[in-house]
């Protein structure tokens, strides 16, 4: 059985290394016992080494929240996918809307995704519309975002890609998107990928949903939304909620 992927995007949380270690430890204790779920945690970069070194085995994978599009050089403050790989990081969130809103463009994102795939970091490409209207313009928007973000990725590298669909209006909100609409969007994204790379590639690329997921709505999102995984924000740093979420999804 293909495992469901649950990725925690800690964003700029928590405040201290001690708290980060606690979240990691509690999650790992539960994750080690899960049968049908694989867990990835994306802490702030400063905590990465400590968390990686505290691992005794590899049930919980570590990801970063970004990666730059050059391997090394004069790029103050940036972190390259080569450095991440060397450290033992296996995933990188690329193009999160909170970074796009600070000026990250599809062009930059396409270079980041391509370099990650080349050096062996699995990119979690984030896409999502800001608003929806009755005319369905969000579909064209999403199609463009996928095409532009992947225009430097050759077919031979596509098999490692993960896409996270995160409608911006559902991030940090009270309610997640309706599971039926999540299903519709995941099919739409797979169709766009199929047109670009071929049927098998389109079907097999994992599509995750993100936006106000918690332990209460996760089951419904999987059952009716039929997605391959979740990208979880706030609930991933809430120990009790996240542990509950993992256990719940493992029952499916
Ligand atoms: P929330 O789960 O806090 O809405 O955040 C979603 C998100 O942006 C994950 O990347």
């Amino acid at each position: 059985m293909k495992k469901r992927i649950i990725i925690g995007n800690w964003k700029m949380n928590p405040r201290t290394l001690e708290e980060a270690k606690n979240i990691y430890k509690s999650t790992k204790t539960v994750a080690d016992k899960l049968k049908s779920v694989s867990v990835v945690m994306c802490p702030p970069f400063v905590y990465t080494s400590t968390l990686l070194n505290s691992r005794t085995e590899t049930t919980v994978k570590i990801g970063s929240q970004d990666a730059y599009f050059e391997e090394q050089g004069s790029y103050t403050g940036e972190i390259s996918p080569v450095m991440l790989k060397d450290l033992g990081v296996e995933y990188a969130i690329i193009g999160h809307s909170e970074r796009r809103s600070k000026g990250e463009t599809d062009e930059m994102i396409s270079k980041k995704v391509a370099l990650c795939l080349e050096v062996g970091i699995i990119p979690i490409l984030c896409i999502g519309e800001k608003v929806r209207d009755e005319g369905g313009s969000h579909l064209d928007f999403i199609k463009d975002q996928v095409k532009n973000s992947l225009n430097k990725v050759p077919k031979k590298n596509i098999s490692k890609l993960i896409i996270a669909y995160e409608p911006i209006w559902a991030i940090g909100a009270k309610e997640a998107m309706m599971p039926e609409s999540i299903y519709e969007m995941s099919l739409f994204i797979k169709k766009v990928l199929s047109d670009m790379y071929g049927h098998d590639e389109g079907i097999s690329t994992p599509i995750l949903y993100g936006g106000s997921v918690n332990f209460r709505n996760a089951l419904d999102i999987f059952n009716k939304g039929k997605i391959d995984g979740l990208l979880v924000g706030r609930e991933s740093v809430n120990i009790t909620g996240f542990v509950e979420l993992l256990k719940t999804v493992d029952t499916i």
Side-chain angles (χ1 to χ4, degrees):
M1 185 182 64
K2 215 171 147 194
K3 285 193 172 188
R4 296 181 175 85
I5 311 163
I6 300 199
I7 302 178
N9 176 7
W10 291 13
K11 306 193 178 182
M12 203 170 72
N13 298 296
R15 282 170 181 267
T16 67
L17 178 61
E18 259 337 280
E19 288 174 84
K21 286 200 270 188
N22 271 339
I23 298 170
Y24 179 80
K25 210 170 131 207
S26 311
T27 306
K28 187 179 166 306
T29 307
V30 174
D32 284 347
K33 299 187 193 105
L34 302 176
K35 290 182 191 70
S36 63
V37 177
S38 61
V39 183
V40 180
M41 288 180 153
C42 302
F45 186 70
V46 285
Y47 301 143
T48 307
S49 281
T50 308
L51 300 186
L52 279 167
N53 291 336
S54 69
R55 300 193 315 174
T56 45
E57 36 56 47
T58 59
T59 44
V60 177
K61 313 278 187 196
I62 296 285
S64 83
Q65 297 177 14
D66 186 31
Y68 199 55
F69 51 74
E70 297 287 349
E71 294 193 17
Q72 69 176 98
S74 304
Y75 306 104
T76 304
E78 302 291 358
I79 295 158
S80 109
V82 176
M83 296 169 182
L84 293 171
K85 176 93 183 158
D86 182 55
L87 217 57
V89 172
E90 293 174 67
Y91 294 76
I93 295 173
I94 301 291
H96 193 280
S97 58
E98 286 154 15
R99 297 195 59 82
R100 290 179 189 259
S101 70
K102 301 272 181 306
E104 196 161 288
T105 61
D106 280 349
E107 171 67 13
M108 291 156 78
I109 290 161
S110 71
K111 291 200 246 174
K112 290 180 175 191
V113 172
L115 185 58
C116 280
L117 287 167
E118 261 168 48
V119 305
I121 294 281
I122 299 174
I124 305 148
L125 168 65
C126 297
I127 54 169
E129 78 280 358
K130 230 185 234 147
V131 286
R132 288 192 159 204
D133 59 32
E134 285 175 4
S137 61
H138 61 281
L139 295 176
D140 282 337
F141 180 85
I142 293 296
K143 191 201 279 183
D144 285 349
Q145 235 181 10
V146 173
K147 285 190 167 170
N148 296 338
S149 307
L150 295 178
N151 67 11
K152 293 180 179 56
V153 178
K155 186 169 175 169
K156 70 175 172 54
N157 285 351
I158 201 73
S159 68
K160 293 284 183 213
L161 176 78
I162 294 175
I163 292 193
Y165 170 64
E166 299 203 303
I168 298 175
W169 48 268
I171 295 177
K174 280 209 181 97
E175 308 263 349
M177 189 181 195
M178 296 287 291
E180 293 78 4
S181 310
I182 295 174
Y183 183 37
E184 198 178 279
M185 288 312 292
S186 114
L187 288 177
F188 179 75
I189 295 162
K190 285 186 193 262
K191 169 78 171 70
V192 173
L193 291 169
S194 300
D195 291 346
M196 291 172 74
Y197 292 103
H199 176 265
D200 292 354
E201 286 74 7
I203 294 299
S204 53
T205 303
I207 310 294
L208 277 45
Y209 167 78
S212 302
V213 174
N214 54 47
F215 76 88
R216 289 183 192 87
N217 60 21
L219 208 55
D220 219 26
I221 292 177
F222 271 109
N223 285 338
K224 296 188 194 144
K226 302 189 199 311
I227 26 95
D228 303 301
L230 299 169
L231 181 53
V232 185
R234 285 159 294 170
E235 192 83 317
S236 71
V237 284
N238 164 16
I239 296 178
T240 44
F242 196 57
V243 160
E244 199 54 37
L245 186 155
L246 294 177
K247 287 186 188 161
T248 308
V249 174
D250 202 47
T251 62
I252 304 174

